């Protein structure tokens, strides 16, 4: 049980801590705040300010209880006029609150009044939200000394909404009123005084109003004096004609600590010789400048001089209001002078130009002005060909007599022109009266028999020999059109009338066209529209077009390559023509090539292809037959149809291809012989003139540097040789070769190794023919000097051959002397260390 009580006390304590309010730091005096930092998105209170929640519910009395908790500053839509939940928030240049029946919200300002007595508070209160036919509520100011006691109402601070208009959207406000109160003596000379604005119910039901405060000023009450200040002076206006107004001048008016806001500052001119204005537009003997708070920002005030009589005039513009104790003045002066000599002037009358006879144009106008005039009538005109009126749509007469009261005068004079002959009507319109010297207004116009106005249009439907050119008659001139059409030439800038004319008959709504035929292809033509009436012939500006060019084009053709005196192909290209003229198209000739319009057709050295003009397309088939080993690269000429000739690039190679051969695997026969094989893969472009093998003991030996042995046994595609006299256990590299008119070709290099010689002294091919070759071998010997000796059957030495060996075997051949007869012999191999013998026969 005790444990539960302990937990409850802890939770209650934590809740009280969470509900604690912030007491803002006291601000030094004098103090002012206009909430300029509140632009609709503020998230923090200014220094010295805080929003609070007060425990309880709304009533007809202002709540005096201590605050319950801090209130977060609302911004944006959360603090707009349309909000219906309780808040304290940024209301754009104002701080505002809204209460509900069970949620009391307020805001507080803390100040330090040390050394200040009495303390005066001024602020601009306004209705931030209200709905018609709903409640009237009040906003009042309260105070407490320190930060722990209850609050006390400040007398005279209450502000009520007036239900004059709805205000439930946006951040605007209604019914602004400046409130100025002096705090009770208990607030004087204190280190901390808290000022709180709170809400109470007054009357009505429904949604509660919200209130806002700005332009807050807290200061020594005895030091707050309403003040109006002017900046700048009004210079002497100088001489101004009586009953006229001068150019305005201005000074700047500002105010501080003004009372009665919102209100008006009154500005009064010193006499009827001066006028004042707050907008430099509306002038009177007095004007007002409104203010909505205790501070009036610098505002211009305008003054002008309007002398009623001749002589020097001066005085002071008087400025009062806003609670100032005495009027502020601004000195003004000027001199009225007598009117000048009566004078007339006029603006320029625009020229009428050339106008068809017996037609009326206009009105054009000029403005007639007078100054210092007498009351005598003003006369305008006459001038032959012109008539006048004072209204654009009024009655026009040969002259005018205009009544006017004298002084300043201004009148628009409208003028029409009606020529009756083809001639100039330039002259001066006489203007006089009002006591002024007469003036002339220059008038310019001429009677004319105008030719038509013609515009040259665009060309269309352009072919190689025809086109359609257009024109427009924007004005028929002074008489009916008798002829119209298009004139053209191949000369740029050709003179009017020197080209070829094609008359038109299709005029409709001012537009016409002419069909131009018999033109040359690929040619630029220049043309103009023309039209004729009794006033003459007019031409439009020159335009141009180019007739279409016959064009031939062709696709690319694949390159040829074949042996001499053989035919390759066909390959093909596509010949295309546009805007062609009728006539044959020629293809070729080009040496080495023949042509046809079908793949299997007859091929000839050139083609002549008939066509009717316009678009054309034809596939051209080509064969290649070289007769010599030269380049056949060139261009196939193509021409005709009126087009510029073209060429179709073609390349052909006359081939003399060498044969190709494949080296096959060799068969090793003995220590001194092997058979080499090869296959002819391709003969090439000519018959073989030689074939065989090259071999060497060097791997990768250069072609032509081996031992070359020709073969002669080609059968089908295969041939071979048997290589003799090889070294026992020797490694050999070999490749086949073939030769034709295209050159020599080699197969890939292959290798083989001969067999080792048998043990002992071996004589091969016994018996041996007289004068024939003896081939013998002996293994396992030391390098050194040896003698090969032949003994006959009686033991007589009949032949000796010296041998110097640098390897460990002897593999030797030599020719038996022809003088040795048939019989049995012995071959002896000997040196200083040993001797070997072997019998053999000679036959």
């Amino acid at each position: 049980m005790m444990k539960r009580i302990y937990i409850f006390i802890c939770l209650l304590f934590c809740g009280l801590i969470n509900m604690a309010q912030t007491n803002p730091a006291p601000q030094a005096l004098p103090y002012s705040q206009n909430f300029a930092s509140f632009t609709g998105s503020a998230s923090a209170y200014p220094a010295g300010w805080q929003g609070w929640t007060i425990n309880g519910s709304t009533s007809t009395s202002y709540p005096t209880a201590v605050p319950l908790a801090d209130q977060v500053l609302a911004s944006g839509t959360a603090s707009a006029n349309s909000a219906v939940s309780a808040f304290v928030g940024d209301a754009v240049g104002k701080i505002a609150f809204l209460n509900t029946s069970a949620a009391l919200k307020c805001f507080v300002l803390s100040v330090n009044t040390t050394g200040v007595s009495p303390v005066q508070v001024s602020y601009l209160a306004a209705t931030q939200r209200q709905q018609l036919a709903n409640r009237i509520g009040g906003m009042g100011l309260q105070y407490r000394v320190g930060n722990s006691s209850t609050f006390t109402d400040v007398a005279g601070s209450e502000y009520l909404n007036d239900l004059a208009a709805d205000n439930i959207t946006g951040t605007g406000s209604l019914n602004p009123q400046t409130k100025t109160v002096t705090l009770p003596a208990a607030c004087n000379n204190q280190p901390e005084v808290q000022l709180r604005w709170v809400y109470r119910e007054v009357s009505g039901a429904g949604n509660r109003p919200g209130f806002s405060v700005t332009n807050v000023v807290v200061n020594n009450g005895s030091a707050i004096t309403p003040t109006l200040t002017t900046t700048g002076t009004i210079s002497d206006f100088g001489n101004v004609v009586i009953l006229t107004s001068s150019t305005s001048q201005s000074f700047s008016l500002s105010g501080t600590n003004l009372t009665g806001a919102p209100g008006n500052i009154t500005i009064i001119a010193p006499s009827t010789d001066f006028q004042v204005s707050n907008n430099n537009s509306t002038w009177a003997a007095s004007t007002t400048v409104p203010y909505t708070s205790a501070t009036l920002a610098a505002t211009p005030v305008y003054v002008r001089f309007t002398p009623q009589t001749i002589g020097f005039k001066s005085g002071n513009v008087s400025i009062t209001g806003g609670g100032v104790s005495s009027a502020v003045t601004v000195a003004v002066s000027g001199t009225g002078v007598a009117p000048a000599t009566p004078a007339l002037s006029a603006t320029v009358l625009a020229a009428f130009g050339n106008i068809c006879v017996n037609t009326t144009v206009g009105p054009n106008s000029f403005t007639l002005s007078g100054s210092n005039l007498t009351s005598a009538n003003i006369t305008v005109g006459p001038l032959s060909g012109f008539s006048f009126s004072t209204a654009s749509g009024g009655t026009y007469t040969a002259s005018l007599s205009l009544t006017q009261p004298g002084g300043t005068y201004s009148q628009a004079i409208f003028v029409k022109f009606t020529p009756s002959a083809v001639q100039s009507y330039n002259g001066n319109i006489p203007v006089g009266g009002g006591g002024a010297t007469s003036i002339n207004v220059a008038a310019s116009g001429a009677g004319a028999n105008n030719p038509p106005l013609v515009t040259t249009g665009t060309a269309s439907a352009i072919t190689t020999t025809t086109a359609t050119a257009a024109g427009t008659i924007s004005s028929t001139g002074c008489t009916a059109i008798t002829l119209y059409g298009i004139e053209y030439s191949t000369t740029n800038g050709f003179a009017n009338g020197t080209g070829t004319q094609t008359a038109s008959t299709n005029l409709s709504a001012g537009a016409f066209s002419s069909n131009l035929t018999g033109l040359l292809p690929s040619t630029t033509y220049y043309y103009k529209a023309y039209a004729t009436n009794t006033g003459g012939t007019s031409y439009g500006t020159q335009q141009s077009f180019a007739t279409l060019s016959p064009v031939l084009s062709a696709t690319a053709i694949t390159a040829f390559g074949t042996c001499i005196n053989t035919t390759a192909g066909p390959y093909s290209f596509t010949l295309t023509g546009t805007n062609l003229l009728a006539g044959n198209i020629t293809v070729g000739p080009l040496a080495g090539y023949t042509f046809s319009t079908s793949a299997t057709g007859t091929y000839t050295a050139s083609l002549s292809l008939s066509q009717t003009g316009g678009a054309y397309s034809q596939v051209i088939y080509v064969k290649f037959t070289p007769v010599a080993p030269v380049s056949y690269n060139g261009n196939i000429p193509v021409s005709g149809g009126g087009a510029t000739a073209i060429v179709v690039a073609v390349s052909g190679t006359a081939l003399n291809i060498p044969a190709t051969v494949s080296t096959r695997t060799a068969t090793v026969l003995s220590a001194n012989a092997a058979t080499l094989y090869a296959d002819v893969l391709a003969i090439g472009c000519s018959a073989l003139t030689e074939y065989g093998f090259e071999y060497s003991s060097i791997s990768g030996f250069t072609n032509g540097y081996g031992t070359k042995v020709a073969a002669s046994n080609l059968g089908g595609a295969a041939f071979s040789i048997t290589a003799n006299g090889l070294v026992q256990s020797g490694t050999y590299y070999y490749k086949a070769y073939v030769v034709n008119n295209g050159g020599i070709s080699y197969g890939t290099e292959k290798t083989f190794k001969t067999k080792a010689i048998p043990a002992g002294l071996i004589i091969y091919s016994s018996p041996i023919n007289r004068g024939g070759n003896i081939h013998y071998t002996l293994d396992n010997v030391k390098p050194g000097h040896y003698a090969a000796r032949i003994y006959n059957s009686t033991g007589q030495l009949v032949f000796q051959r010296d041998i110097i060996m640098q390897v460990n075997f002897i593999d030797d051949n030599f020719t038996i002397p022809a003088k040795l007869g048939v019989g049995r012999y012995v071959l002896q191999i000997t040196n200083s260390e040993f001797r070997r013998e072997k019998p053999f026969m000679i036959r």
Side-chain angles (χ1 to χ4, degrees):
M1 181 65 181
M2 290 299 293
K3 183 177 181 181
R4 292 180 180 176
I5 294 173
Y6 175 77
I7 293 173
F8 175 76
I9 291 172
C10 288
L11 292 173
L12 178 61
F13 179 74
C14 292
L16 291 174
I17 291 176
N18 290 335
M19 294 296 284
Q21 85 287 346
T22 298
N23 288 300
Q27 304 296 298
L29 301 188
Y31 174 83
S32 64
Q33 177 61 258
N34 62 3
F35 295 98
S37 63
F38 279 20
T39 59
S41 59
S43 60
Y45 292 95
W49 290 81
Q50 180 61 47
W52 284 339
T53 297
I54 306 172
N55 193 27
S57 58
T58 57
S59 71
T60 56
S61 298
Y62 291 111
T64 60
V66 297
L68 179 64
D70 286 347
Q71 175 65 36
V72 175
L73 181 69
S75 63
T77 57
S79 61
N81 296 353
S82 57
V84 295
S85 299
F87 71 88
V88 175
D90 171 351
V92 185
K94 308 175 287 294
I95 187 169
F97 66 68
L98 178 65
N99 284 244
T100 62
S101 61
L104 303 184
K105 308 294 179 182
C106 68
F107 42 79
V108 64
L109 166 65
S110 180
V111 294
N112 183 340
T113 67
T114 301
V116 178
S117 176
V119 179
Q120 189 177 76
V121 181
S122 175
Y123 56 94
L124 179 64
T127 302
Q128 193 62 28
R129 181 188 186 281
Q130 71 176 5
Q131 286 184 283
L132 296 181
N134 284 352
R135 295 178 186 269
I136 291 180
M139 178 176 65
L141 178 66
Q142 297 178 327
Y143 76 92
R144 72 177 177 184
V145 178
N147 56 32
S148 59
S149 64
T150 58
F151 282 79
T152 302
D153 296 341
V154 176
S157 67
E158 183 171 83
Y159 167 86
L160 304 179
N161 63 303
D162 61 2
L163 295 182
D166 274 328
N167 191 39
I168 58 173
T169 59
T171 55
S173 57
L174 298 173
N175 189 29
Q177 295 179 17
T178 297
K179 292 291 183 179
T180 303
V181 294
T182 300
L183 300 182
C187 297
N188 297 343
N189 196 30
Q190 297 294 330
E192 183 175 14
V193 175
Q194 291 185 344
L195 303 175
R196 183 172 77 174
W197 283 264
V198 292
Y199 173 84
R200 78 177 182 92
E201 308 280 17
V202 177
S203 63
N207 290 331
R208 290 170 175 80
F211 299 108
S212 65
V213 166
T214 191
N215 296 338
V216 178
V217 178
V218 184
N219 205 348
N220 188 322
S222 61
I224 299 177
T225 302
T227 303
L228 289 173
T229 303
T230 62
T231 303
T233 59
I234 302 297
S235 301
D236 185 90
F237 285 97
N239 295 333
V240 176
V241 175
I242 61 173
L243 303 178
T244 65
S245 297
S246 70
T247 301
S248 66
Q249 299 185 53
S250 67
F251 61 87
S252 179
L253 175 66
S254 58
T256 57
N257 302 319
L258 302 179
T259 62
N264 290 309
I265 305 300
T266 301
I267 298 97
I268 302 174
S271 67
T272 57
D273 294 309
F274 298 90
Q275 292 180 318
V276 292
S277 173
N278 62 9
N279 59 10
N280 205 25
S281 175
T282 303
W283 297 92
S286 64
T287 188
T288 59
V289 172
Y291 63 97
T292 59
S293 68
T295 300
L296 172 66
T299 303
V301 176
Y302 303 90
V303 184
R304 72 179 183 182
F305 182 38
T306 56
Q308 303 301 300
T309 58
I310 297 173
F312 178 74
K313 316 291 180 181
S314 65
N316 291 312
V317 174
S318 177
I319 307 167
T320 59
V324 296
S325 58
S326 59
V328 176
T329 60
V330 176
V332 293
S333 63
T335 302
V337 296
T341 302
L344 290 171
S345 63
T347 59
V348 175
L349 176 65
F352 287 93
N354 295 332
I355 306 301
C356 296
V357 295
N358 299 319
T359 60
T360 298
V361 295
N364 294 347
S365 68
F366 64 90
T367 298
L368 177 62
S369 299
S371 60
N372 308 308
L373 299 179
T374 67
S375 60
N377 285 3
I378 303 294
T379 58
V380 178
L383 178 62
S384 176
F386 300 90
S387 56
F388 312 95
S389 176
T390 56
S392 176
T395 300
Y396 286 79
T397 56
S399 62
L400 298 175
S401 181
L402 309 172
T403 60
Q404 50 87 29
T408 301
Y409 179 73
S410 180
Q411 176 65 55
I413 305 299
F414 296 90
V415 184
K416 289 186 176 181
F417 176 46
T418 308
S420 57
V422 178
Q423 65 179 42
S424 171
Y425 284 82
N426 295 349
N428 292 309
I429 302 170
V431 179
T437 301
S438 296
I439 62 172
N440 292 313
V441 178
S444 174
N449 187 8
N450 296 333
L453 293 179
V454 184
T455 301
T456 306
T458 59
S460 60
I462 301 169
T463 69
T464 52
T465 58
T466 65
T468 299
T472 303
I473 300 175
S474 56
S475 171
T476 59
C478 291
T479 57
I481 300 296
T482 57
L483 185 66
Y484 59 94
I486 299 294
E487 185 174 317
Y488 65 93
S489 173
T490 57
T491 300
N492 187 8
F494 69 96
N496 294 339
T498 63
T500 300
Q501 289 190 347
T502 301
S504 299
T505 58
N506 56 359
L507 184 66
S508 176
F512 64 88
S513 63
S514 292
N515 296 323
L516 313 182
T517 60
L519 308 179
L520 298 175
S522 305
T523 302
T524 298
Y525 284 89
Y526 304 91
Y527 66 99
K528 311 170 187 176
Y530 69 88
T532 303
N533 67 4
T534 57
T537 299
S538 296
Y539 288 83
T541 56
Q542 177 183 284
Q543 304 286 355
S544 67
F545 66 89
T547 50
L548 298 181
S549 298
V551 176
L552 287 171
S553 61
T555 58
I557 186 170
T558 304
F560 290 91
T562 188
C563 294
I564 297 169
N565 297 317
T566 61
T567 298
Y571 294 154
S572 67
F573 65 87
T574 299
L575 177 62
T576 302
T578 56
N579 307 313
L580 298 180
L581 302 179
N584 289 0
I585 293 177
T586 301
V587 178
L590 179 62
Y593 299 90
T594 54
F595 310 94
S596 177
T597 56
S598 67
T600 59
T602 301
Y603 285 79
T604 57
S606 63
L607 298 176
S608 182
L609 309 172
S610 63
Q611 53 86 34
T612 58
Y616 179 75
S617 181
Q618 175 65 55
V619 177
I620 306 299
Y621 295 89
V622 185
K623 288 185 177 181
F624 174 49
T625 308
V627 295
V630 296
S631 171
Y632 284 83
N633 296 349
N635 293 309
I636 302 169
V638 180
S639 61
T644 301
I646 64 171
V647 293
V648 180
V650 65
S651 63
T653 303
L655 304 175
N656 195 3
I657 301 171
T660 56
V661 64
S662 172
T663 307
R664 289 169 48 191
T665 303
T667 299
V668 178
L669 301 177
S670 67
N672 307 106
T675 300
L676 312 182
Y677 302 94
D679 292 319
V680 178
L681 301 179
I683 296 299
C685 284
S686 61
L688 296 181
T689 58
E690 185 182 347
Y691 54 94
F693 294 87
E694 281 189 23
Y695 63 89
S696 172
S697 61
I698 301 173
S699 176
F701 69 94
T702 303
N703 294 340
Y705 284 83
T707 299
K708 190 174 184 181
V709 180
S712 59
N713 59 350
L714 181 65
F719 63 89
S720 64
I721 66 165
T722 297
N724 295 299
L726 306 178
V727 177
Q728 68 91 22
S729 297
T731 300
Y732 289 88
Y733 302 90
Y734 67 99
K735 44 184 122 171
Y737 72 88
V738 288
V739 180
N740 69 1
N741 288 340
I744 185 169
S745 297
Y746 287 83
T748 56
E749 181 181 278
K750 290 186 176 294
T751 185
F752 66 88
K753 184 176 183 180
T754 57
K755 296 178 181 180
I757 61 177
L761 179 60
I762 304 298
I763 298 176
Y764 301 90
S765 303
S766 179
I768 300 169
N769 294 329
R770 291 179 65 189
N773 181 70
I774 182 170
H775 176 206
Y776 68 96
T777 61
L778 176 63
D779 69 335
N780 196 23
V781 298
K782 295 179 180 180
H785 181 269
Y786 292 86
R789 297 171 179 171
I790 297 177
Y791 294 90
N792 60 20
S793 59
T794 64
Q796 181 183 10
L797 177 64
V798 295
F799 178 81
Q800 179 171 321
R801 170 182 172 85
D802 291 326
I803 306 170
I804 297 175
M805 298 303 299
Q806 297 182 6
V807 293
N808 63 354
F809 66 90
I810 298 174
D811 186 355
D812 189 28
N813 292 272
F814 63 88
T815 302
I816 299 294
K819 66 181 180 178
L820 297 182
V822 175
R824 182 177 183 274
Y825 292 85
V826 175
L827 173 65
Q828 182 188 84
I829 307 300
T830 183
N831 71 358
S832 60
E833 296 181 359
F834 77 95
R835 182 176 64 190
R836 297 286 189 274
E837 295 179 347
K838 188 82 171 182
F840 68 95
M841 294 296 294
I842 295 177
R843 60 183 178 189

